[in-house]
Amino acid sequence: MELIAKNITVCAAGGDLVDDADLSVKPGELVALLGPNGAGKTTLLRAAAGIARPFKGSVKLGAADAFKLSAQERARRLAYLPQIRPPAWPNIVRDVVTLGRYAHGANLAKPAGDDAAAVNAAMSDCDISHLSARRVDTLSGGELARVHCARAFAARTPLLIADEPVAALDPRHQLRVLDLFAAYVAGDSGKPRGALIVLHDISLAARYADRLIWMKDGKVLASGTVKETLTSERLAQVYGIDAQIDGATVMIKGIAQSAR
Amino acid sequence: MRLNTVLIIASITALFLACLLGSTPMEPGRVFDALSGQGSAADMTVIWQIRLPRALAGFIVGAALGASGAALQGLLRNPLAEPGVLGVSGMAVLGASASLYYGLAALSPWVLPSASIIGALIATALITLAAMRVKSVVTLILIGVGLSAFSGAAMSLLMNFAPNPFSLSDMINWMLGSVSNRSFAEIAFAAPFMAIGLIILWLGRRGLSALTLGEEAAGSIGLNLRALRVSVVVGAGLATGAAVALAGAIGFVGIVAPHVIRPFVRYDPARTLLPSALLAGLFLVLADIGVRIMPTQTELKLGVVAALLGAPAFIWIAMQRQSAGQGD
């Protein structure tokens, strides 16, 4: 299933948060959305995920219009992982992961059949099986991030959108979580899936993403492979930093002259 | 499930105990006979006209408030949310008193519960509208405090204009909250609203679990948030309004019961609903037994006892939140 968002425009009192942005995610593609703080990444993501209807523009999930689907139908096609926050109640890990099966009508107290299989597989993929009965308020940041990932993976949707899934994680956990996304995109039994994630770490994006989407001031400036779009000019233009690029390796030297 | 079984057995036992105790002591055998319709005429009257309806009224009022509290806490993701704290009970009392004051309640037995329910629905709707705009849990509680203060002021106004001391004392007595002298007929006018309210809350329970993740994520896993909000507003409004119509204002029951239950159900808002209803019902039946056997000059009002026990518990829960660093 392919996600195609076209001409997304989102307005706020002060001006456009997102201005005529396009993006797409194909099966088997891990797409990273890059841009400075306040570029409109989260706003665009929420529109693309079908959660907040934009002022203008369309979002297609496969053949269906994302905003014509019911919440349940949409949730079976696309899983959305907002920025990681602790749950409202100190639930146990397994119950939080089981919520990923909500749209499939799972018995949330006691998942059975496909639901139980999906929950168990997601927990083992995210290496949190041993935390199954732990209360989420006792987890470390890295563990909580993996619980939320497992919740999203358990839905087994063809598409996944995640907002800064590795923010506030140490380097090892960042790699582990992004490995999970890469495995998710590769899919099982030859059925690849698509993922769109917001990242702040350009090196990680270059390492994992099949395609980069660059955003600034609510506009999509470029979209393409790492090779095509990761240049020092681009980093100066988008982030206002002076960096040296060597293949997929990024060496940040400082703030760009133009941005000082 | 085991928790619910224990609570059901305890509730039935408490209801039976409530039939046992009173100014005319009755041994269990006589109560059994009277309950099964084989007792003496006098015993039958005492059980069926006085003790059983009173105990049942206490139980269903508690159940309605306990379930409403659990559902509102789930919807607002706030352990301090409760019909009394949020001003829902206060607005219901205001609606009911207005109907009493203007003599509308005499027109039909449906007027009082309806007025009470309308008051409760207005309050739940206002709170939920506010919750959609303000994210802060504390602000929301403050809005509830404001609503309570407003309904309190309007109540004072009604009392200020009371035509005579008798209607004034009627209003005050009713406001304090009690289930004494309730009949099956009165229960019959409140119970249907309560039942509908509780069923609506019960049907929304999965959504309350989903809301654990926060509104945005809950929407993304397939929850229709607007439908859930409406169902909790209507369900809690109906249940609380009907409870107030039957027993006046009985506060804090809806906050304590879910708080006690939560650790036993792994903090899942859905699984908190039923046991909270049962525990709150059980609590009111027991508290009412206490009120009846306490050797006081004037009988204590159930609402007064519930508030005396519940208000400190409320403060304790609020302080715990602070120390756990969850306050925002």
Side-chain angles (χ1 to χ4, degrees), chain B:
Chain B
M1 276 301 103
R2 205 176 299 154
L3 174 68
N4 288 328
T5 315
V6 169
L7 285 170
I8 289 169
I9 292 170
S11 301
I12 292 171
T13 312
L15 286 171
F16 184 72
L17 210 61
C19 292
L20 225 59
L21 300 166
S23 52
T24 329
M26 242 188 247
E27 52 272 22
R30 275 171 68 194
V31 174
F32 265 124
D33 283 347
L35 281 173
S36 57
Q38 282 152 13
S40 70
D43 285 0
M44 298 269 284
T45 306
V46 169
I47 297 296
W48 286 98
Q49 305 292 323
I50 302 170
R51 292 187 189 171
L52 189 58
R54 176 173 184 161
L56 269 182
F59 184 76
I60 62 174
V61 164
L65 294 174
S68 299
L72 286 168
Q73 290 173 19
L75 178 70
L76 305 174
R77 280 155 290 138
N78 179 353
L80 297 177
E82 194 256 344
V85 173
L86 294 178
V88 181
S89 301
M91 290 294 283
V93 168
L94 180 62
S97 308
S99 80
L100 284 174
Y101 178 61
Y102 289 108
L104 297 171
L107 296 178
S108 151
W110 296 104
V111 170
L112 180 75
S114 305
S116 174
I117 286 164
I118 290 168
L121 284 175
I122 290 172
T124 44
L126 282 176
I127 292 286
T128 311
L129 278 177
M132 288 163 65
R133 314 184 95 237
V134 290
K135 289 278 162 264
S136 159
V137 159
V138 179
T139 311
L140 204 61
I141 296 290
L142 290 178
I143 291 169
V145 170
L147 211 52
S148 291
F150 170 76
S151 60
M155 274 302 298
S156 307
L157 189 68
L158 287 184
M159 289 193 248
N160 204 161
F161 287 135
N164 55 59
F166 301 109
S167 61
L168 181 61
S169 100
D170 267 0
M171 261 195 258
I172 291 177
N173 267 326
W174 190 77
M175 242 179 79
L176 292 177
S178 166
V179 287
S180 67
N181 304 323
R182 294 301 183 271
S183 67
F184 275 116
E186 283 168 292
I187 291 178
F189 283 109
F193 296 112
M194 264 183 213
I196 294 168
L198 293 181
I199 289 168
I200 292 173
L201 294 179
W202 178 249
L203 293 177
R205 67 191 186 285
R206 286 183 93 236
L208 297 177
S209 292
L211 267 181
T212 293
L213 296 174
E215 290 180 359
E216 194 172 56
S220 78
I221 62 169
L223 169 71
N224 184 336
L225 186 58
R226 198 176 304 163
L228 179 71
R229 276 194 189 118
V230 170
S231 81
V232 173
V233 164
V234 173
L238 282 172
T240 306
V244 168
L246 186 57
I250 296 181
F252 298 105
V253 188
I255 196 170
V256 178
H259 187 77
V260 173
I261 292 297
R262 226 171 260 122
F264 294 100
V265 294
R266 310 202 303 240
Y267 294 87
D268 177 7
R271 272 171 283 169
T272 311
L273 278 182
L274 180 59
S276 294
L278 292 170
L279 182 67
L282 173 65
F283 171 73
L284 279 196
V285 174
L286 292 176
D288 193 48
I289 292 175
V291 163
R292 282 167 54 204
I293 62 176
M294 225 179 282
T296 45
Q297 286 278 317
T298 337
E299 188 181 283
L300 275 174
K301 295 286 182 190
L302 184 56
V304 176
V305 175
L308 281 176
L309 296 173
F314 171 81
I315 293 168
W316 185 69
I317 294 167
M319 300 218 337
Q320 265 200 325
R321 272 174 64 73
Q322 205 67 44
S323 61
Q326 291 175 339
D328 54 330

Side-chain angles (χ1 to χ4, degrees), chain A residues 157-211:
Chain A
T157 50
L159 287 163
L160 176 62
I161 291 185
D163 197 352
E164 297 189 33
V166 298
L169 297 187
D170 63 52
R172 189 174 69 92
H173 279 109
Q174 289 188 334
L175 294 173
R176 281 183 71 173
V177 167
L178 287 173
D179 282 341
L180 292 174
F181 278 92
Y184 177 88
V185 166
D188 40 28
S189 57
K191 274 182 81 181
R193 296 177 273 211
L196 170 67
I197 56 181
V198 169
L199 288 175
H200 267 311
D201 187 317
I202 303 151
S203 311
L204 281 178
R207 179 182 169 134
Y208 282 94
D210 298 304
R211 195 151 52 82

Side-chain angles (χ1 to χ4, degrees), chain A residues 25-250:
Chain A
V25 183
K26 292 184 185 62
E29 221 181 13
L30 180 59
V31 181
L33 182 57
L34 297 169
N37 295 333
K41 303 185 295 293
T42 297
T43 310
L44 177 58
L45 224 53
R46 294 181 52 194
I51 287 176
R53 185 188 285 272
F55 177 65
K56 260 193 302 201
S58 68
V59 178
K60 291 247 184 222
L61 299 175
D65 180 339
F67 297 105
K68 290 215 174 96
L69 294 172
S70 73
Q72 187 183 29
E73 289 168 326
R74 200 181 56 229
R76 288 184 183 189
R77 289 169 166 80
L78 182 146
Y80 175 63
L81 200 58
Q83 290 176 20
I84 304 292
R85 286 197 202 94
W89 307 103
N91 302 69
I92 63 162
V93 167
R94 167 172 278 277
D95 286 352
V96 173
V97 177
T98 305
L99 285 174
R101 301 298 294 174
Y102 184 87
H104 297 80
N107 175 347
L108 299 176
K110 224 183 210 169
D114 284 352
D115 299 320
V119 168
N120 288 334
M123 294 216 300
S124 116
D125 287 347
C126 296
D127 194 17
I128 52 167
S129 298
H130 61 290
L131 302 172
S132 176
R134 275 270 291 281
R135 275 170 50 166
V136 286
D137 59 341
T138 65
L139 301 179
S140 71
E143 287 166 339
L144 185 63
R146 270 145 59 210
V147 169
H148 280 287
C149 287
R151 189 270 290 169
F153 292 161
R156 292 193 165 161
T157 50
L159 287 163
L160 176 62
I161 291 185
D163 197 352
E164 297 189 33
V166 298
L169 297 187
D170 63 52
R172 189 174 69 92
H173 279 109
Q174 289 188 334
L175 294 173
R176 281 183 71 173
V177 167
L178 287 173
D179 282 341
L180 292 174
F181 278 92
Y184 177 88
V185 166
D188 40 28
S189 57
K191 274 182 81 181
R193 296 177 273 211
L196 170 67
I197 56 181
V198 169
L199 288 175
H200 267 311
D201 187 317
I202 303 151
S203 311
L204 281 178
R207 179 182 169 134
Y208 282 94
D210 298 304
R211 195 151 52 82
L212 305 177
I213 296 177
W214 300 84
M215 243 189 127
K216 194 186 184 187
D217 298 333
K219 290 188 178 63
V220 170
L221 299 182
S223 165
T225 60
V226 174
K227 219 176 186 174
E228 290 162 4
T229 60
L230 180 59
T231 60
S232 45
E233 292 79 27
R234 180 96 57 211
L235 290 176
Q237 176 199 14
V238 172
Y239 288 103
I241 53 172
D242 180 17
Q244 202 174 1
I245 314 286
D246 179 15
T249 315
V250 182

